[in-house]
Amino acid sequence: MDVSTKFKKMEASSVRKLSIFADEAKKKGRKVYHLNIGQPDLATPQQYFDHIRSFQPKTTEYMPSLGIPELIASIQKYYADLGIHFTKKQIAVTCGGTEALVFAFLAIINEGDEILLPEPFYSNYATFFTISGAICAPITTYAENGFHFTKEDILARITPRTKAILISNPGNPTGMVMTMDEIKMVADIARKYDLYIIADEVYREFVFDGRPISSFGFLPDIEDRLVIIDSVSKRYNACGARIGALLTKNKEIFSIVTKLCQGRLSCSTIEQHGAVGLYEAGKAYITDARDQYQKRRDIVYGLLHQITGVICEKPEGAFYLIAKLPVDNVEKFLTWLLTDFEINGETVMAAPAEGFYQTKGLGKNEIRIAYVLDEPELSKAIIILAKGLERYLGN
Ligand SMILES: *Cc1c(COP(=O)(O)O)cnc(C)c1O
């Protein structure tokens, strides 16, 4: 029997590619430090659990398709506090930022339309391209420039089929944070070439070294072409809540998104109540998380930088980095770490960066690290990685 051709062709997740080897290492009794998965480990705000406990309905019912009014009000207030003003009819609660992305793609794309996006990029985007039939037009960025891109880099990729530009800012998997000048530059291009902007800002507050938040939402003159993707997953350490949001002032897009939301009835009722609690946690909670990630960034960057041959600019935000290693094939090296290397029964797993690139051949000598371990574990993990690299290169 036949199955979907376009999905059959899709490659497996690069983040988990080496999982079999990690499992084998664990079976041998080794401890494996995971630097591969971007799953935050900080404590979810207590308010989330309080709201869930106090939710005692007789029947757990479907909720309004666009989200429960309390949560929409919380999201609206969170944005207003940032100086970004949405009405309640411009906010759709979604099942994670993931569903918001799928709906944004479905609302905007006709088969064959091109979406520009900086590469390396969040690998799940590839799924949304396949679902919507959009063509991926990557703007290649480089470790040497801290993964920033210029006006010329974008213009070189624009064609008559270009429909939108998609940007993860702060960037997963690179840790790049755009300046407001860069945001304005993209906005100017979007206006000139009549493009939509899909701004994936799920890491919005995770900007380091005193950088201000940079959001497409701050620019009033792109309101009609902007779709913001948001999520509680990273900001509130609540990946399991599966609550996100799509925000847009474009009425046509919102009307399509409304139909898509109606088609899947509603998001989880209890999780929406929990998420209201998350938004109560407020700014102090978020800045504390940011400060912890910054300390971790300092540890990882500090240790990596001491290794000769490593190329990596200081990551500016989120909790990831991509670094060039002095080996030809990082996937082989990372596999070797799991199969043939250990220090006191411990080793590390990280992701080969190749899977974050669309352009074939790029990223082969690069590693993607998610620094979501506590500080002592993280130091140990990076030291093991460094010693492993030394031994690997010595062989
Ligand atoms: C984690 C992540 C998301 C969405 O995650 P959800 O848990 O579905 O909210 C979206 N974009 C990027 C870049 C991410 O890293």
Side-chain angles (χ1 to χ4, degrees):
M1 274 183 298
D2 208 7
V3 294
S4 160
T5 323
K6 62 183 187 183
F7 278 99
K8 219 157 103 177
K9 276 193 297 205
M10 274 196 67
E11 282 172 36
S13 159
S14 59
V15 177
R16 294 168 202 275
K17 208 166 178 182
L18 307 179
S19 290
I20 349 155
F21 303 113
D23 291 344
E24 277 168 23
K26 285 176 201 166
K27 266 188 224 146
K28 283 188 231 161
R30 282 185 197 161
K31 171 164 178 162
V32 179
Y33 292 98
H34 283 273
L35 297 170
N36 57 315
I37 290 179
Q39 162 114 283
D41 60 318
L42 302 175
T44 310
Q46 186 55 40
Q47 292 94 326
Y48 167 78
F49 300 103
D50 294 343
H51 275 252
I52 292 213
R53 265 184 215 110
S54 66
F55 180 68
Q56 301 280 345
K58 175 169 157 276
T59 308
T60 184
E61 297 175 324
Y62 291 127
M63 288 293 122
S65 295
L66 291 170
I68 61 171
E70 300 93 309
L71 181 53
I72 292 173
S74 303
I75 296 171
Q76 185 186 31
K77 179 174 181 305
Y78 158 83
Y79 274 89
D81 289 347
L82 289 172
I84 305 174
H85 298 280
F86 284 103
T87 69
K88 295 194 167 70
K89 294 205 160 66
Q90 296 167 334
I91 302 170
V93 174
T94 54
C95 304
T98 302
E99 192 183 56
L101 280 159
V102 174
F103 287 179
F105 272 63
L106 292 178
I108 289 172
I109 292 303
N110 286 309
E111 186 98 23
D113 287 345
E114 293 174 11
I115 301 188
L116 300 169
L117 79 172
E119 90 175 330
F121 56 80
Y122 177 51
S123 33
N124 284 338
Y125 288 160
T127 315
F128 316 142
F129 276 95
T130 307
I131 290 175
S132 65
I135 309 271
C136 175
I139 301 159
T140 306
T141 64
Y142 299 92
E144 287 82 352
N145 307 325
F147 298 100
H148 284 267
F149 50 90
T150 63
K151 185 176 169 184
E152 289 67 37
D153 296 335
I154 305 176
L155 293 181
R157 298 294 321 222
I158 291 186
T159 77
R161 294 299 320 248
T162 309
K163 186 76 166 280
I165 179 157
L166 163 65
I167 298 181
S168 158
N169 176 52
N172 175 9
T174 61
M176 181 275 293
V177 177
M178 292 173 77
T179 63
M180 268 324 282
D181 282 343
E182 289 172 320
I183 297 228
K184 284 189 193 124
M185 175 271 285
V186 172
D188 287 344
I189 294 177
R191 266 200 317 273
K192 182 158 179 210
Y193 292 89
D194 200 23
L195 311 177
Y196 290 106
I197 298 169
I198 305 172
D200 182 344
E201 300 187 353
V202 304
Y203 297 96
R204 184 174 292 122
E205 287 85 356
F206 299 160
V207 288
F208 305 145
D209 309 314
R211 279 185 178 76
I213 288 173
S214 61
S215 170
F216 281 94
F218 293 147
L219 301 184
D221 49 359
I222 47 163
E223 282 181 356
D224 54 334
R225 58 184 75 252
L226 175 63
V227 179
I228 293 182
I229 306 299
D230 209 341
S231 168
V232 301
S233 291
K234 317 292 163 54
R235 185 174 306 131
Y236 299 110
N237 294 289
C239 290
R242 310 306 311 130
I243 297 291
L246 182 152
L247 302 98
T248 184
K249 298 192 184 192
N250 182 303
K251 287 201 174 76
E252 274 189 302
I253 293 181
F254 200 78
S255 146
I256 297 175
V257 169
T258 303
K259 289 180 216 168
L260 292 167
C261 286
Q262 287 165 348
R264 61 82 165 110
L265 302 176
S266 92
C267 292
S268 160
T269 301
I270 190 164
E271 294 292 356
Q272 291 190 71
H273 284 279
V276 172
L278 294 174
Y279 280 92
E280 282 171 11
K283 262 192 195 148
Y285 175 88
I286 304 170
T287 40
D288 183 57
R290 178 202 62 198
D291 292 347
Q292 299 206 44
Y293 290 130
Q294 182 172 323
K295 276 193 222 149
R296 293 170 178 190
R297 188 275 319 258
D298 291 342
I299 290 173
V300 180
Y301 178 72
L303 288 168
L304 279 182
H305 224 68
Q306 291 169 18
I307 310 171
T308 19
V310 169
I311 297 172
C312 172
E313 287 295 301
K314 200 174 204 175
E316 300 156 325
F319 39 68
Y320 307 96
L321 65 79
I322 288 191
K324 281 204 165 115
L325 301 185
V327 298
D328 296 335
N329 187 325
V330 164
E331 186 175 331
K332 269 195 196 153
F333 164 59
L334 293 175
T335 308
W336 176 86
L337 282 179
L338 292 167
T339 53
D340 288 85
F341 185 74
E342 45 116 354
I343 294 179
N344 302 326
E346 300 183 333
T347 191
V348 283
M349 173 174 181
E354 194 180 352
F356 299 94
Y357 288 85
Q358 165 86 5
T359 308
K360 289 282 165 260
L362 293 181
K364 276 197 191 317
N365 59 344
E366 296 178 3
I367 184 173
R368 200 287 297 255
I369 291 175
Y371 39 95
V372 278
L373 297 174
D374 67 25
E375 290 170 37
E377 295 231 319
L378 189 61
S379 304
K380 269 197 226 162
I382 304 294
I383 289 167
I384 293 170
L385 180 78
K387 294 220 162 112
L389 186 61
E390 208 175 294
R391 174 99 53 90
Y392 189 76
L393 291 173
N395 284 348

